[in-house]
Amino acid sequence: MTQLASAGGDTSADNVGTRGGDTVAPEPYHLGEAPGPLDHDQLTDLDAWWRAANYLSVGQIYLMSNPLLRTPLAAEHVKPRLLGHFGTVPGLNLVWAHANRAILARDLNAVFVAGPGHGGPGPNACGWLEGTYSELYSHIPRDVEGMREFFRQFSFPGGVPSHCAPETPGSFHEGGELGYSLLHAFGAALDNPDLTVFCVVGDGEAETGPLAGSWHANKFLNPARDGAVLPVLALNEYKIANPTLLARVPESELLSLLRGYGYDPIVVAGHDPAAVHQAMAAAVDTCLDRIADIQRSARSGADGARPFWPMIVLRTPKGWTCPPKVDGDPVEGTFRAHQVPLPGARSDAAHRAVLEQWLRSYRPEELFDENGSPLPQVLRLNPSGDRRMSANPVANGGALLRDLRLPDWRSYGVEVTDPGATKHEATRVLGGWLRDVTKANPDNFLTFAPDELASNRLQDVLEVTGRDWQAEVGEFDVGLDRRGRVIEVLSEHMCQGLLEGYLLTGRHGVFTCYEAFIHIVDAMFNQHAKWLDASAQVPWRRPVPSLNYLLSSHVWRQDHNGFTHQDPGFLDVVLNKKPSIVRVYLPPDANTLLSTYDHCLRSRHYVNVVVAGKQPQQDWLSVPEAAAHCARGAGLWEWAGHNDELGTEPDVVLACAGDVPTLETLAAAAILRERLPQLRIRVVNVVDLMRLLPSEEHPHGLPDREFDTLFTTNRPVIFAFHGYPWLIHRLTYRRTNHSGLHVRGYKENGTTTTPFDMVMLNDLDRFHLVMDVIDRVPGLQTRAAGLRQEMVDARLAARAWTREHGEDIPAVAEWTWPYSRSRS
Amino acid sequence: MTQLASAGGDTSADNVGTRGGDTVAPEPYHLGEAPGPLDHDQLTDLDAWWRAANYLSVGQIYLMSNPLLRTPLAAEHVKPRLLGHFGTVPGLNLVWAHANRAILARDLNAVFVAGPGHGGPGPNACGWLEGTYSELYSHIPRDVEGMREFFRQFSFPGGVPSHCAPETPGSFHEGGELGYSLLHAFGAALDNPDLTVFCVVGDGEAETGPLAGSWHANKFLNPARDGAVLPVLALNEYKIANPTLLARVPESELLSLLRGYGYDPIVVAGHDPAAVHQAMAAAVDTCLDRIADIQRSARSGADGARPFWPMIVLRTPKGWTCPPKVDGDPVEGTFRAHQVPLPGARSDAAHRAVLEQWLRSYRPEELFDENGSPLPQVLRLNPSGDRRMSANPVANGGALLRDLRLPDWRSYGVEVTDPGATKHEATRVLGGWLRDVTKANPDNFLTFAPDELASNRLQDVLEVTGRDWQAEVGEFDVGLDRRGRVIEVLSEHMCQGLLEGYLLTGRHGVFTCYEAFIHIVDAMFNQHAKWLDASAQVPWRRPVPSLNYLLSSHVWRQDHNGFTHQDPGFLDVVLNKKPSIVRVYLPPDANTLLSTYDHCLRSRHYVNVVVAGKQPQQDWLSVPEAAAHCARGAGLWEWAGHNDELGTEPDVVLACAGDVPTLETLAAAAILRERLPQLRIRVVNVVDLMRLLPSEEHPHGLPDREFDTLFTTNRPVIFAFHGYPWLIHRLTYRRTNHSGLHVRGYKENGTTTTPFDMVMLNDLDRFHLVMDVIDRVPGLQTRAAGLRQEMVDARLAARAWTREHGEDIPAVAEWTWPYSRSRS
């Protein structure tokens, strides 16, 4: 879905050779006149800035040296590998230039989102022209030497990538995987009433599902509370090798589509720069006037209907201003301009000559002085200071971050006199705290859910706010709110993308989702984790709030939804990313969930994945115990173990991670304590999965000595795990006692079940765990053969009961932990 | 993103108790008269069938016994857990009934796709009414005893899930995760000129990104070659807890959106059954007439413009015909009707009484005879035999499967005289064979790509076909074709979904994608793998063709695209699924890729993931060697090893999987052979990753003895792996020599690089592999200390070269395998 960045190896000298047919340079650039709102000076200033940006873009793609063509262009000045996509760049630069005009005229607070892939040369060039590049990277000054280094580093080993990235000044949107530009733009605009986001959407990107759905984000943008997004659909008509769908439907159909999405589109189309500048200036003015009207009206208290937000359709040629013909094939305005128009520029003298003519066609001598610095005519279009889109702190969200005001989670905890004596829905308890987090942070905390907030039992949040809704309200609709602090839309992509945009601009939030369907955003998670990783290595980037998931309706409670809803594999995806970025928590009850989430909302620059059940389940730990246990991340539950004196080794370790596995482990421990009272049993609960990793691999990893103390070096460990069992092996394969580890977890074999059926299907039930202990503790096979057979029978009886009655056998459903703390 | 199936635990007796406010049964059902195309008999027949389906749907949700209310409804007749979603069901049943009328009138060949989540009771009921259910499940006859069992099994332990699933007669679309109904429908229609697909899209589902993008699938449907999709947007206005976006925009805006997508929508709206029946019948007739016109015109040779396909917007109340009020709250027509309207039906006598009145309101005595069989008035609307949508073999695609005609891959192989003597782009070689596969199978083989066909070097396919394109054609567009056998759209979701629909209806295909971005469809892959797994356990389901991925532009060649394009983690996602379903292949060169793909296209009911590079790379194996090596899946490369005589153990095993890791391993082997000629080196290449798994876990798994023979039981194994290194540990942790295994693979730390830089960044380069050997083979640390330092220096020099020159150091770039076969 991204655009391929160049033909890679094909462009090396070996593969090019001489080609047939003409290669034609663009005509020397001539700016004509055209009617419109710009006077002559405004027009020439705008155009000079645009040409300068285009020149700097071409330079990045092709040149390693001789940046201002002070000598005739030679092969060694041209990079051996030509990368980056020119096709989309002139359009990006045009929008940036026109945004600058508007910023200057209106003192706008604006940021820029570049949706098209591998268009990095454009925003890089704009940032260099505005001086920000040199301020952030002192080895790249705004002079001829800096320009050389600026060109050289682009898509060069050790340099910057070919698309917008954390290294790009003014970008909070990565141009890697396509589809999320509008979501990031709308996420940035939420709760930013003074902000205008210029968002360029590529017509290739527009074919993706996430982008197609995200036009509807306008139904959540409140013109009184939020800023504005000005989408510019860059309709340059081509992808890598194909025309785009939206370019090949009649314009009436395209406009009907955009109006159906709730926009009021203005078309700017053309090839002649002067005419396009005039039309674009008029369109931008009209859009910004209309936005100002909408906001003024909403902010004056008028609670009018949802507005039709303005947008621009910009139809200009692919690779505009590049050579019209290469090797006999038309290039400008065709798919051949998508990537690198002159692939042979290093090895082929004809290509190289045309490249030089092309660069000179922008008339660099009118744009840069002898030192290579931009001339005053160019500089006139630069906004100053933070008004420069390349320098706006909104795009470096950590710089604007305000800590959340967090109520003390301890006062929201449930009372636990004895382990298992009471039951609570863990996520509902969390909901009480999130309600007050929402209330205490009315303008920088949002909760996102794909229509699952109440289903995941967080509905208490709705006591202090409603669901953000700007569309019509029906007679029976409940709890919709123009200023709602919960965004619910049946699209995981939208939840994720809006939250990312909100976080990357310095605010806080939670995404609650069914566990199985969070895989829908695997790829978005990957991209965000990579952004966090790479941005942590960019010195001027400040840490942003963590991305917090709350996954509920999890794999072990899919008693009705069935097999399709069973998938704990997001944890595997998450753990593939850089350990410094990712955290996975499996709190076993309500108080540990509260403690965990308090920690998550205080953290920075992580992805925190928290999995927790929503069904009533036993409370195990009191508030102080939960605090201590979560601080440790993994620890002994002395009250649950048996004969487990300090300094002696137990006969068996029962380990668990996840709420249902913890329940089954404790139930198994209770059976063992009653039936095999001499057995030395240790119960270990893991909340923070990262504790299992070696300490040299993850900052949370337990040192080997501590791991060995907890899990022993040679006793059987029966590990009941929430997810796929091999994940535990992957995390622990270097540990001393790895060969003693036997993991039970989820395997793909589901069917329609009751809750305990699910657990039995996966041999993670209490009966099976007892059998595992008997099978693995030396001596028990004989001594406890009778108990083992009882367990087999008990499982069969439990299974038969569910098949007959449609619910769990009472001995399981009503089971409680039989020991009080004082007795244990 | 799915709809929550019921409130689960909340509906159990314990949680309900008595509620406040009125609970009101629906009025006794009365079918009035309304003007329209149906005469009185047609209207009453249609309505009777619809009522019967609704009765059977309510019965499935609530009843375990007493299906025809022969005795007053008692608590024990009601299931203890009430699951499934009634809200969407009357709409589904209405569309099915009207489709039946059209099938009978026009002898249509039609199938049904139910998009809305957890609406399983509807299609189940329709299948039972049509007799198919009883034909496929003989323990569920079409009588009162069968009806009891039919009701009981729904969302009951060991029974069928709450949404459409492989168990559902006539369904080839799973109702688990939402968003893919239209894609499956269009995929089924491709190359099925006689088929009509009735596709119900829920307005909740319509909010998802994949669904929002997939309306554009009409740009790939050729009315001459393909069948038709009749989308019905079921606008019942609510999701679980919220109104839907499309229900809360003005109708003019909705219609503008749908027209913008290229449809010609007809709105059917209402609450009065007679009026809705008349409007729906007229709408269905109009749509089918229009479809017939479009097809007739296209098939008569007129190459007209892309048609506006008709569709229906069906706006009827959520939970239509259910109790209007429960516990004082309005239910019918509100979000409260989404799931189970009377949650207290088992424990609360008032709810139960209303449930009984509700069931009786359908007048079951007019629908079913004394034996519980449908009466003739109902049966009149059943099509016969395969014309029943519940029995159409298209929905059991394996039954219609025709084997592909596959040209002998051996004649497409490249000549390999000596290992490494020549280079080829592996995927380009495959493209030559795929070209002839495409040509030999002109109506049951398609290739899908997100604008990456040529980028992934499969462009030879375009020698015999074009890209399917029904939209406008621009002046400079190339290779577009109304009958193209390649579908390119910049949406991985569309590629995957269309291919799934094509495969599930018995045809064959390939999806080629950049490796990093295949994560976009992780969740779709999960759902498809679950479908394959579950359907393999349904006796009447026939195996379908495998889903074949070709992942290229892979992690090791992201020299320009950078960090965002580096992600080999799809393999981890795939290997979480049932081993009987998934296969992963990493062919190291062109001939092994050909052999692998030939195998994949012959296979059934798998997901085959093949990762292969597109850049020029050394050929290692001749055609016969490739055939033998791929048949083994993992094996010794004797020509590459050294002093590795049978019966003796080598000093070290160099193992590799993936093309770049194989190259680096061989380069390391060459250094070791030259510099440490006494060292006994074994080189093992793994093509079929499943060979590493224990034989009891995967049908391809190597028996332990064979694994030990290959990898030894105690010698160091340096394993160079394409993906994340821990995947190899996960696959092998039970093997004898696991502790001897040292894996090098990809870790998240990328930046902008040259190809060899990427490899060096991950310590998977030849120099590092040599160091690994020196560090791990006893005695070498001292003996080869000088060589080790040379390797360190060589790496530094290579890195410095790339930073200076922007391309790989010639010693690496131009390296070739130094031994001829005869010498080795």
Side-chain angles (χ1 to χ4, degrees), chain A residues 642-822:
Chain A
H642 196 50
N643 302 331
D644 185 21
E645 282 79 29
L646 210 68
T648 67
E649 292 255 297
D651 296 314
V652 65
V653 178
L654 298 180
C656 46
D659 53 6
V660 166
T662 298
L663 170 64
E664 293 306 312
T665 295
L666 290 171
I671 294 171
L672 290 165
R673 286 173 64 165
E674 186 197 336
R675 300 298 303 279
L676 299 172
Q678 304 307 317
L679 196 67
R680 290 173 299 173
I681 303 168
R682 173 173 299 175
V683 174
V684 173
N685 182 270
V686 179
V687 177
D688 174 354
L689 210 58
M690 311 290 91
R691 297 295 271 164
L692 300 180
L693 275 167
S695 54
E696 57 276 20
E697 290 208 358
H698 195 283
H700 289 195
L702 276 172
D704 277 332
R705 211 183 38 190
E706 291 179 35
F707 189 95
D708 292 349
T709 303
L710 207 50
F711 290 95
T712 81
T713 55
N714 58 7
R715 301 306 158 106
V717 179
I718 313 296
F719 200 124
F721 177 52
H722 174 86
Y724 293 106
W726 36 80
L727 181 59
I728 298 298
H729 288 292
R730 174 189 140 180
L731 299 175
T732 60
Y733 68 82
R734 292 197 191 165
R735 300 294 192 175
T736 314
N737 193 18
H738 178 249
S739 64
L741 190 65
H742 182 67
V743 185
R744 297 246 167 237
Y746 177 74
K747 288 194 174 184
E748 298 281 314
N749 54 14
T751 180
T752 304
T753 58
T754 63
F756 190 61
D757 243 9
M758 261 301 289
V759 179
M760 284 194 288
L761 259 171
N762 285 281
D763 298 342
L764 189 131
D765 56 286
R766 55 198 67 183
F767 308 126
H768 214 97
L769 295 177
V770 170
M771 288 189 261
D772 281 343
V773 170
I774 294 171
D775 293 346
R776 279 169 181 76
V777 173
L780 280 190
Q781 290 87 334
T782 317
R783 185 148 59 91
L787 177 60
R788 194 183 195 291
Q789 187 56 46
E790 275 181 55
M791 295 294 104
V792 172
D793 295 343
R795 290 183 96 234
L796 292 172
R799 172 64 57 87
W801 180 279
T802 66
R803 292 291 183 281
E804 171 72 18
H805 297 275
E807 54 190 343
D808 287 333
I809 195 167
V812 166
E814 296 162 12
W815 177 86
T816 56
W817 177 250
Y819 302 99
S820 87
R821 184 174 311 278
S822 51

Side-chain angles (χ1 to χ4, degrees), chain B residues 493-505:
Chain B
H493 291 110
M494 282 183 71
C495 291
Q496 171 88 16
L498 291 170
L499 175 56
E500 286 177 359
Y502 197 67
L503 299 174
L504 290 166
T505 52

Side-chain angles (χ1 to χ4, degrees), chain B residues 144-419:
Chain B
V144 67
E145 187 47 35
M147 195 190 289
R148 191 190 63 79
E149 184 57 30
F150 177 63
F151 287 179
R152 180 189 173 83
Q153 62 146 17
F154 174 79
S155 267
F156 202 81
V160 301
S162 56
H163 48 67
C164 288
E167 295 89 339
T168 315
S171 180
F172 62 96
H173 170 79
E174 179 118 32
E177 187 173 283
L178 302 181
Y180 319 125
S181 58
L182 268 180
L183 292 170
H184 288 171
F186 276 97
L190 290 166
D191 284 326
N192 257 332
D194 298 330
L195 189 69
T196 301
V197 186
F198 291 92
C199 179
V200 182
V201 179
D203 51 352
E205 178 181 21
E207 292 179 13
T208 68
L211 198 291
S214 67
W215 293 104
H216 289 297
N218 57 9
K219 276 86 185 177
F220 302 98
L221 198 77
N222 177 331
R225 175 192 65 181
D226 306 319
V229 175
L230 177 52
V232 179
L233 176 61
L235 203 67
N236 59 36
E237 304 200 351
Y238 289 98
K239 308 181 292 241
I240 299 180
N242 288 284
T244 59
L245 286 177
L246 296 185
R248 292 292 178 269
V249 299
E251 189 165 285
S252 60
E253 205 168 316
L254 173 64
L255 296 180
S256 177
L257 181 70
L258 297 171
R259 287 181 188 125
Y261 277 127
Y263 296 87
D264 185 7
I266 299 176
V267 178
V268 174
H271 184 251
D272 171 61
V276 173
H277 281 310
Q278 292 286 11
M280 186 68 180
V284 169
D285 281 344
T286 303
C287 289
L288 293 174
D289 289 348
R290 176 96 181 92
I291 287 170
D293 284 348
I294 290 168
Q295 292 179 335
R296 196 176 307 116
S297 162
R299 291 169 194 188
S300 68
D303 195 19
R306 172 176 57 87
F308 267 60
W309 292 95
M311 67 167 289
I312 295 171
V313 176
L314 178 62
R315 192 189 283 264
T316 54
K318 191 103 197 176
W320 195 12
T321 70
C322 86
K325 197 176 261 200
V326 176
D327 300 327
D329 286 324
V331 173
E332 189 194 21
T334 82
F335 68 92
R336 296 186 195 87
H338 184 80
Q339 303 180 19
V340 174
L342 292 162
R346 184 167 162 120
S347 60
D348 177 324
H351 277 203
R352 194 164 58 251
V354 169
L355 171 61
E356 182 167 353
Q357 288 173 276
W358 175 16
L359 278 161
R360 290 195 193 282
S361 78
Y362 297 116
R363 300 202 303 271
E365 66 283 2
E366 297 176 14
L367 307 171
F368 307 102
D369 68 15
E370 271 302 302
N371 293 323
S373 304
L375 283 163
Q377 187 190 11
V378 174
L379 294 172
R380 272 203 293 272
L381 207 71
N382 283 352
S384 61
D386 288 356
R387 285 304 195 226
R388 295 172 295 178
M389 293 192 291
S390 59
N392 193 319
V394 167
N396 183 13
L400 299 176
L401 186 162
R402 285 176 293 135
D403 286 344
L404 287 173
R405 284 174 233 156
L406 294 179
D408 186 352
W409 67 270
R410 291 170 187 79
S411 52
Y412 296 79
V414 301
E415 197 183 350
V416 180
T417 50
D418 266 324

Side-chain angles (χ1 to χ4, degrees), chain B residues 658-725:
Chain B
D659 52 7
V660 167
T662 298
L663 170 63
E664 293 306 314
T665 294
L666 290 171
I671 294 169
L672 290 166
R673 286 173 63 165
E674 187 197 336
R675 302 296 303 278
L676 299 172
Q678 304 308 316
L679 195 68
R680 292 173 298 173
I681 302 168
R682 173 173 298 174
V683 174
V684 173
N685 182 270
V686 179
V687 176
D688 174 355
L689 210 57
M690 311 289 92
R691 297 294 272 164
L692 299 180
L693 275 167
S695 56
E696 58 276 20
E697 289 207 1
H698 195 283
H700 289 195
L702 277 172
D704 276 333
R705 213 182 38 189
E706 291 179 36
F707 189 95
D708 292 348
T709 303
L710 207 50
F711 290 96
T712 80
T713 54
N714 57 6
R715 301 305 158 108
V717 179
I718 313 296
F719 200 124
F721 177 51
H722 173 86
Y724 293 106

Side-chain angles (χ1 to χ4, degrees), chain A residues 402-730:
Chain A
R402 284 177 291 136
D403 286 343
L404 287 174
R405 283 174 233 158
L406 294 179
D408 186 352
W409 68 270
R410 292 170 186 81
S411 53
Y412 296 78
V414 300
E415 196 183 353
V416 181
T417 50
D418 266 324
T422 50
K423 285 189 179 185
H424 284 89
E425 296 153 300
T427 54
R428 192 187 289 267
V429 173
L430 180 67
W433 182 72
L434 285 179
R435 173 197 60 219
D436 291 350
V437 173
T438 301
K439 196 173 171 188
N441 301 278
D443 63 356
N444 65 340
F445 179 79
L446 286 172
T447 300
F448 296 82
D451 195 28
E452 293 165 3
L453 182 89
S455 169
N456 283 339
R457 305 286 192 273
L458 299 178
Q459 62 268 58
D460 285 359
V461 172
L462 300 176
E463 292 172 7
V464 298
T465 186
R467 289 153 168 135
D468 181 8
W469 192 260
Q470 312 299 323
E472 296 176 355
V473 177
E475 180 187 352
F476 299 112
D477 299 349
V478 171
L480 305 180
D481 183 350
R482 296 292 288 264
R483 291 182 169 269
R485 308 300 303 164
V486 172
I487 295 189
E488 292 221 70
V489 57
L490 191 40
S491 164
E492 284 78 0
H493 292 108
M494 282 183 73
C495 292
Q496 172 89 17
L498 291 171
L499 175 56
E500 286 177 0
Y502 197 67
L503 299 174
L504 290 166
T505 52
R507 284 78 57 77
H508 309 259
V510 170
F511 176 11
T512 180
C513 185
Y514 287 6
E515 182 183 38
F517 300 131
I518 196 67
H519 272 300
I520 290 169
V521 297
D522 276 2
M524 297 181 79
F525 154 78
N526 283 336
Q527 296 289 315
H528 187 72
K530 282 174 180 284
W531 174 279
L532 293 180
D533 183 3
S535 66
Q537 297 162 51
V538 174
W540 55 271
R541 288 268 176 201
R542 302 282 295 276
V544 296
S546 299
L547 170 51
N548 301 302
Y549 292 102
L550 176 65
L551 306 184
S552 194
S553 307
H554 64 53
V555 58
W556 297 106
R557 298 304 297 263
Q558 292 308 327
D559 15 309
H560 33 265
N561 293 313
F563 192 33
T564 55
H565 288 52
Q566 300 164 10
D567 197 313
F570 188 61
L571 305 188
D572 301 75
V573 172
V574 167
L575 287 177
N576 277 344
K577 293 299 153 220
K578 189 72 134 317
S580 56
I581 299 298
V582 295
R583 304 286 184 268
V584 174
Y585 299 99
L586 297 158
D589 69 358
N591 287 335
T592 49
L593 175 59
L594 275 173
S595 171
T596 299
Y597 236 87
D598 177 76
H599 177 75
C600 292
L601 288 192
R602 293 176 191 279
S603 72
R604 298 282 177 270
H605 224 68
Y606 299 150
V607 175
N608 295 309
V609 182
V610 182
V611 187
K614 67 185 189 185
Q615 303 292 352
Q617 199 171 308
Q618 283 84 351
D619 309 312
W620 306 115
L621 301 188
S622 67
V623 162
E625 288 166 341
H629 185 55
C630 290
R632 277 196 304 265
L636 279 185
W637 280 5
E638 294 87 354
W639 53 267
H642 196 50
N643 302 331
D644 185 21
E645 282 79 29
L646 210 68
T648 67
E649 292 255 297
D651 296 314
V652 65
V653 178
L654 298 180
C656 46
D659 53 6
V660 166
T662 298
L663 170 64
E664 293 306 312
T665 295
L666 290 171
I671 294 171
L672 290 165
R673 286 173 64 165
E674 186 197 336
R675 300 298 303 279
L676 299 172
Q678 304 307 317
L679 196 67
R680 290 173 299 173
I681 303 168
R682 173 173 299 175
V683 174
V684 173
N685 182 270
V686 179
V687 177
D688 174 354
L689 210 58
M690 311 290 91
R691 297 295 271 164
L692 300 180
L693 275 167
S695 54
E696 57 276 20
E697 290 208 358
H698 195 283
H700 289 195
L702 276 172
D704 277 332
R705 211 183 38 190
E706 291 179 35
F707 189 95
D708 292 349
T709 303
L710 207 50
F711 290 95
T712 81
T713 55
N714 58 7
R715 301 306 158 106
V717 179
I718 313 296
F719 200 124
F721 177 52
H722 174 86
Y724 293 106
W726 36 80
L727 181 59
I728 298 298
H729 288 292
R730 174 189 140 180

